[in-house]
Amino acid sequence: MPLIDIHVMEGVFSQEEKARIIAETAKGFGRVAGQAMQANTSVRVQEVRSGDWGGAEGVWTTERALALKAEG
């Protein structure tokens, strides 16, 4: 059965937002794969500690992620 992993920076999303991310991701998968697959899809939100994630431009932080979230 499908397992979808989502990694986010720690401290950026509330429990309610993470619950919504989980539900909406599974529903979106179901719209493509079908209802039987949706019913058997699990989604896992994993938080990454601030400073333990980044790219070529440098290390990412919770503060950066919060600023991006505030931009909409």
Side-chain angles (χ1 to χ4, degrees):
M1 300 298 103
L3 165 62
I4 301 169
D5 273 327
I6 300 174
H7 292 82
V8 299
M9 193 68 64
E10 70 176 348
V12 176
F13 297 97
S14 68
Q15 287 301 118
E16 293 80 16
E17 289 170 321
K18 289 186 280 186
R20 185 170 174 211
I21 289 168
I22 290 167
E24 294 299 324
T25 300
K27 289 176 188 175
F29 188 83
R31 283 192 291 276
V32 174
Q35 292 300 307
M37 289 295 274
Q38 176 180 311
N40 291 284
T41 297
S42 62
V43 179
R44 179 172 50 188
V45 175
Q46 299 185 58
E47 291 188 305
V48 177
R49 191 171 59 203
S50 184
D52 284 355
W53 194 353
E57 300 298 320
V59 175
W60 299 343
T61 64
T62 296
E63 292 76 24
R64 178 181 178 201
L66 287 168
L68 289 171
K69 185 179 175 195
E71 289 180 18

